[in-house]
Amino acid sequence: MDFSRRDTLGLALGAAALTVLPFRVSASSDAAIEEFTGGAAVDEGGITLTAPEIAENGNTVPIEVSAPGAVSIMVLAAGNPTPGVATFNFGPLAASQAAATRIRLAGTQDVIALAKMADGSFVKASSTVKVTIGGCGG
């Protein structure tokens, strides 16, 4: 099979684009965090994220988040094509500031939970989930 200069250039540009793709995914989760926090500092602690260490199937990974005193909690899957998983908002009559759901993960990655507290501060927790069978097209 013969390659012309255009074919070679096209392959090189495609390969270069694929090497940048993982950085773009990371950048989109950073952008989601920036949008949620408005650029405010994020502290550790004050929020509990429960996720399995190993998930047999990425299509249905159970997670639980709890942040007493939170106004809202956002859950991100940093390695998914679209990192935003869910945002839970709590009103003044909420019995507890906790939620449980099942999420889809594209592969082994970090799950991040951010909470906006009633005083306007932000807290974060993360957990690495190892996926044996991919969920988002895997």
Side-chain angles (χ1 to χ4, degrees), residues 36 46-47 67 70-74 113-117 121-124:
F36 184 73
I47 183 171
V71 175
S72 129
I73 299 174
M74 181 174 70
L114 293 157
K116 179 178 182 181
M117 306 307 281
S121 65
F122 293 90
V123 292
K124 170 177 123 173

Side-chain angles (χ1 to χ4, degrees), residues 54-135:
I54 297 174
E56 294 295 323
N57 187 345
N59 284 322
T60 176
V61 179
I63 64 161
E64 295 178 22
V65 291
S66 174
V71 175
S72 129
I73 299 174
M74 181 174 70
V75 179
L76 299 167
N80 278 1
T82 305
V85 173
T87 301
F88 304 99
N89 296 309
F90 304 101
L93 298 178
S96 67
Q97 290 76 26
T101 189
R102 294 183 181 273
I103 64 174
R104 180 176 280 184
L105 298 177
T108 299
Q109 61 185 286
D110 289 332
V111 176
I112 303 165
L114 293 157
K116 179 178 182 181
M117 306 307 281
D119 63 359
S121 65
F122 293 90
V123 292
K124 170 177 123 173
S126 64
S127 178
T128 301
V129 178
K130 297 174 185 164
V131 177
T132 57
I133 301 173

Side-chain angles (χ1 to χ4, degrees), residues 11-68:
L11 287 172
L13 289 175
L18 288 176
T19 59
V20 175
L21 185 62
F23 296 114
R24 195 189 118 233
V25 169
S26 176
S28 64
S29 65
D30 291 341
I33 292 171
E34 179 75 23
E35 182 179 336
F36 184 73
T37 62
V42 180
D43 296 325
E44 297 287 328
I47 183 171
T48 304
L49 171 64
T50 306
E53 186 176 325
I54 297 174
E56 294 295 323
N57 187 345
N59 284 322
T60 176
V61 179
I63 64 161
E64 295 178 22
V65 291
S66 174

